[in-house]
């Protein structure tokens, strides 16, 4: 993080923000990161509560109860875009709806009553109780309320200590979400002896956004793996409770869930591999590494088959997209993991990543980005909406990959946009997903819409 | 379910929830969210939420996916340390950064539940900032107290408009305008009101005018501070107007304030949705401005009457459930009654005496002898879903969160209110005034034709056929017997 890395200001912004952007090249290192946001700017960041909630929200058979005023629940309810193959309970927006009276006298009683009531109404697999800014400040002891309610109901009632103000970085929220699982869920049930196989795995950090998990699962099952649990996309609480007997954890979103994999390694000795099913090369590497881990001949043969078939299936169909996308440029500005895990996938489409950044990156994340991007790529940390606009104007990429908050900044500037976040409508994982991905990227970049909207009434 | 004798002289069917403590699928949002929506209608203004980052981010998220426009909301980005020592430094910093970097005319500081609880004195901090910068050109700074543990987005909207007027208004020479307080309306509806006012040939000050800011063209200028909307000068000018009409009964505090302190007459009536309510709105405006109703307006009224008649056969006695903000729920209930439908279930997320009283006005419109709607006050969508489990309705009105209820009951959802994130065009939805009403009746009727009639427009109703055939067989039996 040397000052001379950023001799020339990249865009006009606050002086202390200049060191949060750098260009990879020569001996250049990393942008400054993991610092509190500047008050008064329009942040793209969220809070610790949000971080914890998005990790746990996809657990389908659970009630997610927000212990706070109504806004925390009504603004974050069912926003993850996670699909479920069974229970829809997780889609409910539940709140203890703290009122002035509760702020003065404490909200513990109301929380207790709410838990009992929701349990009676829905008989859920578990009730997750999220602490918010206010319940934290007034000092409600959600731990003991949860414990008491669990004793009465016999249902898992899990406290999540996710007061929003705890940190500037929502990654802390991810960890708090993971802690709730490791402390209260994982290892609390034993699998049936008959169901145990030598090839039991957990998929960690896959949230089944737009159904991504369903693109990954068949591949793994074809290899002969037995998926004990997914944490947390399309999951049920009992499966996660039994996940400690798996032989291997494969970690898809390393940003949110490596923490959990490490804890499971420490507590239960389960090794983990980092995988990535976005992109051809990454999918192949992931499949190969899993097969190599188990060192089973049958599985290795199947892996080869799978890869061969997958490639055969893809190549011809991708040609058309590649033709149109060749040489187009991409900017990534995402929550974390995707800032590096998507770079190769774009290169496989013939596109060039010219900027990559995250909202909540820590040093390790930027190491990952730096290792994968080409020289000359702009690496940026925590750009606020003003900076993002200026960067997009300066770089003029053909495409921005980001979430809903950034979408219309890009579109208004005439930059193609592809949602890779909560509002995504297609699954992108695995071989089949890669085709979908190529199709959507092509749709964003090559659409005729841009030809007409860039004209003026005064043009000939 | 309990029946009360109501002041309006009819049996009020107040629903008592079988759930007491938790809220499940809320039908309201928090105060700062409402205040934000008011500020979105200001020109060259910057909203600043004094709280954790998440408040600004998640509210932006909801606003952006509804309006499909970039939305700027700044945050004082509090963290653990500031919670212990107070958020003063962060807010001072935020005011400095916003003033210097964005150069707005107005900065609106909203409190959050966090800063209300730790007791930050926002007004004091603003004074401190202004004192420290004497002689500098600073934006006008307005603070709105919006703790999310009391009230809802409706009170937030009301407070924001009140604080703006209170802090900024200046008595000067009379201006021959009327003030219009919009409430939480879509830009499309604000536009309808502006068109109507234009047709009446009068000038107005709109509090606040979101119509251009939140339905903007594809233009990178929209990434700057909002260029359109109500200006600082216009807010300053409000006590010089001839009168105020609050379209929202729940957001009339600024109007009341101007009436009390500056003798600016204030009308606070039902949302001008449908014939009767729009008539009253037009009459109030004309009375204030002492003008005749222009032919163009009468003609539009006639066109709305025409479509009511044209479509009545499809709509007659269709049962309706409506949820959302009280003003909108009453407005929709009025227009669907005028269409010949029956508003059976009315659900709002807050408590409101005015709302309960207004249900009486729907009774007057309806031809139903036994009209006794189910009223869900201070309710959530769990309650609505429960009621609809036992009460068949033909169409549901409300925001996107109603989709799963409509799906479960196999009825269409007419999307209106906030948020609507699963369809495009939320910013253009309108039902206000005569011309907004025309669009609304067209769309609702076509939705009903789509759902309940075949492609040639014949009724799909097998059940009724069975009933008739049953009667026929029975009659035959009776004939045979005797």
């Amino acid at each position: 993080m040397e000052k001379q890395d950023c001799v020339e200001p990249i865009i006009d912004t606050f002086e202390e923000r200049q060191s949060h952007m750098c260009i990879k090249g020569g001996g250049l290192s990393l942008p400054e990161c993991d610092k509190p946001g500047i008050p008064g700017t329009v942040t793209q960041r969220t809070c610790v509560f949000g971080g914890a909630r998005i990790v746990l929200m996809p657990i389908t058979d659970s009630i997610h109860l927000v212990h706070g005023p109504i806004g925390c629940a009504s603004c974050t309810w069912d926003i993850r875009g996670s699909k479920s193959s069974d229970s829809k309970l997780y889609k409910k927006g539940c709140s203890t709806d703290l009122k002035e009276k509760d702020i003065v006298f404490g909200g513990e009683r109301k929380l207790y009553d709410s838990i009992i009531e929701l349990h009676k109404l829905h008989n859920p697999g578990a009730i997750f109780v999220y602490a918010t800014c206010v319940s934290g400040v007034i000092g409600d002891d959600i731990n003991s309320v949860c414990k008491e309610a669990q004793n009465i109901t016999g249902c898992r009632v899990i406290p999540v200590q996710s007061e929003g103000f705890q940190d500037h970085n929502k990654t802390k929220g991810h960890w708090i979400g993971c802690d709730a699982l490791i402390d209260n869920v994982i290892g609390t049930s034993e699998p049936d002896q008959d169901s145990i196989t030598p090839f039991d795995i957990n998929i960690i950090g896959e949230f089944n956004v737009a159904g991504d998990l369903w693109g990954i699962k068949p591949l793994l099952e074809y290899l002969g793996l037995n998926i004990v649990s997914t944490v947390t996309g399309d999951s049920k609480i009992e499966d996660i409770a039994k996940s400690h007997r798996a032989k291997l954890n494969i970690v898809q979103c390393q940003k949110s869930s490596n923490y959990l994999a490490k804890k499971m390694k420490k507590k239960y000795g389960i090794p983990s591999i980092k995988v990535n099913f976005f992109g051809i090369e990454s999918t192949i590497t992931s499949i190969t590494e899993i097969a190599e881990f188990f060192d089973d001949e049958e599985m290795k043969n199947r892996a080869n088959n799978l890869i061969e078939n997958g490639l055969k299936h893809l190549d011809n169909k991708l040609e058309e997209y590649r033709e149109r996308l060749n040489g187009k440029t991409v900017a990534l500005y995402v929550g974390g993991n995707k800032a590096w895990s998507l770079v190769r996938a774009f290169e496989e489409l013939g596109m060039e990543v010219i900027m990559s950044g995250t909202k909540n990156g820590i040093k390790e994340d930027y190491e990952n980005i730096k290792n994968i991007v080409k020289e000359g790529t702009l690496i940026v940390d925590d750009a606020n909406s003003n900076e993002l606009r200026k960067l997009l104007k300066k770089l003029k990429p053909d495409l921005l990959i980001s979430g809903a908050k950034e979408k219309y900044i890009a579109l208004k500037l005439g930059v193609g946009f592809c949602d890779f976040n909560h509002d995504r409508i297609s699954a992108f994982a695995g071989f089949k997903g890669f085709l979908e991905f190529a199709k959507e990227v092509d749709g964003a970049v090559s659409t005729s819409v841009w030809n007409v909207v860039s004209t003026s009434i005064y043009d000939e | 379910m309990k029946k009360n004798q109501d002041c309006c002289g009819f049996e009020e069917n107040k629903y008592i929830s079988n759930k007491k403590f938790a809220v499940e699928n809320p039908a309201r949002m928090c105060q700062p969210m409402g205040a934000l929506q008011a500020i979105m209608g200001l020109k060259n203004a910057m909203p600043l939420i004094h709280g954790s980052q998440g408040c600004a981010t998640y509210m932006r998220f909801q606003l952006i996916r509804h309006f499909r426009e970039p939305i700027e909301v700044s945050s004082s980005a509090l963290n653990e340390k500031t919670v212990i020592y107070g958020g003063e430094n962060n807010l001072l910093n935020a005011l400095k950064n916003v003033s210097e970097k964005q150069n707005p005319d107005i900065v609106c500081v909203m409190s959050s539940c966090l800063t209300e609880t730790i007791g930050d004195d926002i007004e004091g901090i603003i004074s401190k900032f202004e004192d420290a910068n004497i002689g500098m050109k600073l934006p006008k700074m307005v603070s709105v107290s919006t703790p999310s543990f009391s009230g809802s987005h409706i009170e937030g909207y009301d407070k924001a408009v009140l604080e703006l007027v209170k802090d900024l208004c200046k008595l000067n020479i009379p201006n021959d305008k009327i003030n219009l307080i919009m409430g939480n309306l879509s830009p499309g509806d604000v536009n309808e009101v502006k068109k109507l006012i234009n047709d009446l040939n009068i000038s107005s000050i709109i509090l606040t005018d979101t119509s251009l800011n939140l339905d903007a063209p594809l233009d990178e200028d929209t990434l700057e501070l909002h260029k359109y909307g109500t200006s600082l000068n216009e807010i300053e000018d409000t006590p010089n107007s001839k009168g105020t009409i609050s379209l929202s009964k729940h957001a009339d505090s600024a109007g009341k304030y101007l009436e009390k302190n500056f003798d600016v007459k204030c009308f606070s009536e039902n949302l001008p949705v449908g014939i009767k309510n729009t008539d009253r709105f037009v009459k109030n405006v004309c009375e204030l401005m002492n003008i005749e109703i222009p032919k163009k307006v009468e003609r539009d009224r006639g066109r709305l009457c025409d479509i009511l008649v044209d479509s009545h056969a499809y709509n007659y006695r269709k049962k309706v459930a409506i949820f959302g903000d009280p003003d909108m729920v009453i407005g929709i209930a009025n227009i669907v009654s005028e269409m010949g439908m029956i508003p059976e279930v009315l659900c709002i997320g807050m408590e409101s005496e005015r709302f309960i009283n207004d249900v009486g006005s729907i009774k007057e419109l309806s031809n139903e002898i036994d009209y006794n709607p189910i009223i869900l006050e201070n309710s959530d969508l769990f309650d609505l879903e429960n009621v609809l489990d036992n009460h068949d309705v033909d169409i549901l009105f409300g925001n996107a969160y109603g989709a799963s209820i409509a799906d479960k009951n196999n009825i269409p959802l007419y999307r209106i209110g906030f948020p609507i994130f699963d369809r495009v065009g939320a910013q253009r939805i309108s039902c206000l005034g005569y011309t907004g009403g025309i669009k609304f009746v067209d769309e609702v009727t076509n939705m009903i034709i789509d759902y309940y009639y075949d492609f040639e427009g014949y009724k799909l109703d097998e059940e009724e056929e069975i009933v008739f055939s049953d009667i026929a067989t029975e009659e035959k039996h009776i004939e045979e017997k005797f």
Side-chain angles (χ1 to χ4, degrees), chain A residues 47 53 85 159 227 263 316 327 401:
Chain A
C47 57
R53 192 165 190 196
S85 53
I227 299 158
K263 286 216 154 176
N316 286 335
I401 299 292

Side-chain angles (χ1 to χ4, degrees), chain A residues 130-432:
Chain A
Y130 299 81
T132 57
C133 288
V134 163
S135 57
V137 168
I138 62 174
D140 277 358
D141 182 359
I142 69 164
N143 263 311
S144 69
V145 175
C146 288
K147 212 171 185 178
E148 208 182 321
Q150 176 160 321
N151 286 339
I152 293 286
T153 57
C155 168
R156 296 172 191 276
V157 183
I158 301 157
V160 187
Q161 287 294 348
S162 54
E163 292 85 356
F165 56 74
Q166 278 186 59
D167 199 66
H168 57 269
N169 197 327
K170 78 163 178 187
T171 304
K172 185 159 184 199
H174 296 153
W175 296 345
I176 290 166
C178 293
D179 279 337
L181 292 178
I182 195 94
D183 295 343
N184 301 290
V185 184
I186 296 169
T188 55
S189 274
E190 285 301 326
D192 290 339
Q193 282 307 310
D194 325 341
S195 69
I196 295 175
T197 78
F199 304 117
D200 292 344
I201 63 159
N202 300 312
I203 308 175
I204 312 272
E206 169 51 58
F207 302 108
N208 202 26
V209 175
D212 272 340
L213 176 69
W214 301 329
I216 300 172
K217 238 177 160 175
L219 305 180
L220 300 175
E221 279 165 357
Y222 179 83
L223 291 181
L225 296 164
N226 175 38
I227 299 158
V228 180
S229 77
T230 50
V231 184
T232 53
D234 195 20
S235 64
K236 293 214 168 117
I237 199 79
E238 277 309 312
D239 296 332
I240 298 177
K242 291 169 187 159
S243 62
H244 61 300
R245 293 290 178 228
K247 315 297 182 292
L248 174 71
N249 281 330
I250 61 171
V251 189
Q252 168 82 15
C253 176
Q254 287 132 43
K255 178 100 181 96
S256 64
S257 303
N258 242 354
Y259 178 84
L260 180 66
K262 277 184 196 159
K263 286 216 154 176
M264 285 178 83
K265 162 93 180 154
K266 205 168 161 198
K267 198 164 173 186
Y268 301 105
I270 307 174
S272 69
I273 337 185
K274 295 172 182 176
V275 293
N276 176 16
F277 286 92
F278 291 123
I280 306 173
E281 187 195 297
S282 307
T283 303
I284 291 174
T285 316
S286 300
I287 292 170
T288 317
E289 281 181 6
I290 295 169
E292 266 166 23
F293 173 88
F294 284 101
D295 199 19
D296 177 87
E297 279 314 307
E298 166 79 19
M299 193 182 287
K300 281 182 186 169
N301 284 336
R302 281 170 167 268
N304 287 336
N305 256 340
L306 192 61
I307 293 163
E308 210 174 298
N309 273 326
L311 289 176
K312 215 189 287 170
H313 178 71
L314 273 177
D315 257 354
N316 286 335
K317 292 185 176 163
L318 278 175
E319 238 6 83
E320 192 195 322
Y321 297 125
R322 282 192 182 123
E323 235 164 70
R324 279 198 292 268
L325 295 172
N326 194 28
K328 302 274 192 209
T329 54
V330 188
L332 302 171
Y333 187 60
V334 287
N337 189 49
K338 290 164 214 140
W340 66 87
S341 66
L342 284 178
V343 174
R344 284 275 174 275
F346 280 106
E347 287 170 358
E348 284 162 358
L349 291 177
M351 300 174 82
E352 190 191 346
V353 174
I354 56 171
M355 173 187 133
S356 183
T358 89
K359 299 159 199 177
N360 304 287
I362 53 176
K363 202 170 166 227
E364 194 189 322
D365 300 322
Y366 289 106
E367 296 276 4
N368 284 332
I369 296 174
K370 190 191 149 203
N371 287 338
I372 200 156
V373 297
K374 283 191 182 143
E375 303 257 309
T377 305
L378 176 69
I379 306 175
V380 57
D381 169 67
D382 182 32
N384 57 52
S385 69
N386 244 327
E387 291 171 354
L388 192 60
R389 168 168 58 111
K390 287 177 185 167
L391 289 171
L392 290 177
K393 280 191 81 168
K394 188 175 169 130
L395 298 175
K396 298 192 181 71
D398 294 302
L399 182 70
L400 174 73
I401 299 292
S402 197
K405 291 192 299 295
E406 297 79 17
K407 182 174 183 176
Y408 299 97
I409 300 177
L411 295 180
K412 293 280 185 190
L413 289 168
V415 172
F417 180 86
C418 186
D419 200 324
F420 220 107
N421 220 323
H422 309 317
D423 285 351
R424 176 148 59 90
I425 43 180
S426 313
F428 290 163
F431 293 113
K432 227 176 114 197

Side-chain angles (χ1 to χ4, degrees), chain A residues 34-98:
Chain A
D34 200 14
K35 291 273 151 55
I38 296 181
T41 56
V42 180
T43 179
Q44 307 300 105
R45 286 175 166 181
T46 162
C47 57
V48 168
F49 156 70
R53 192 165 190 196
I54 58 165
V55 164
L56 299 171
M57 201 194 287
I59 302 176
T60 60
D61 61 345
S62 298
I63 287 278
H64 298 271
L65 173 62
V66 181
H67 184 42
I70 197 76
C72 300
S74 58
C75 290
T76 64
W77 149 32
D78 190 23
I79 60 166
R80 180 87 236 224
S82 293
K83 299 264 181 206
S84 166
S85 53
D86 189 8
S87 176
K88 300 275 187 287
L89 211 47
Y90 71 119
K91 284 183 173 282
K92 293 189 182 298
C94 299
S95 169
T96 50
D97 187 19
L98 291 183

